Amino acid sequence: MNKVISEKPKLVNELNAYEIPTLTTIYNSDLQINDQNDLKKVINPIEFIKVGK
């Protein structure tokens, strides 16, 4: 860590200033559930993953 800081002294300030952007979509799909159809789109993959098939 000391080596990295000595080579790039501004890095710590850059990291402190960095803000993780808020996710609103993933794979071009909204992360908001508006109705039953949206809910099914979320539940089906979850069940698929649980079963492993």
Side-chain angles (χ1 to χ4, degrees), residues 36 43 51:
Q36 286 298 106
I43 291 175
V51 173

Side-chain angles (χ1 to χ4, degrees), residues 26-42:
I26 188 166
Y27 301 116
N28 295 324
S29 298
D30 289 332
L31 292 177
Q32 181 175 341
I33 298 173
N34 293 319
D35 54 30
Q36 286 298 106
N37 192 32
D38 287 349
L39 184 59
K40 285 181 185 177
K41 290 178 185 177
V42 173

Side-chain angles (χ1 to χ4, degrees):
M1 187 72 152
N2 289 333
K3 180 181 176 191
V4 172
I5 292 173
S6 67
E7 291 174 359
K8 300 177 182 180
K10 294 182 181 180
L11 181 62
V12 174
N13 288 337
E14 290 174 15
L15 291 174
N16 283 338
Y18 182 78
E19 292 183 21
I20 297 172
T22 302
L23 290 176
T24 57
T25 63
I26 188 166
Y27 301 116
N28 295 324
S29 298
D30 289 332
L31 292 177
Q32 181 175 341
I33 298 173
N34 293 319
D35 54 30
Q36 286 298 106
N37 192 32
D38 287 349
L39 184 59
K40 285 181 185 177
K41 290 178 185 177
V42 173
I43 291 175
N44 289 340
I46 291 172
E47 291 301 319
F48 177 82
I49 291 167
K50 284 181 183 177
V51 173
K53 296 179 180 178

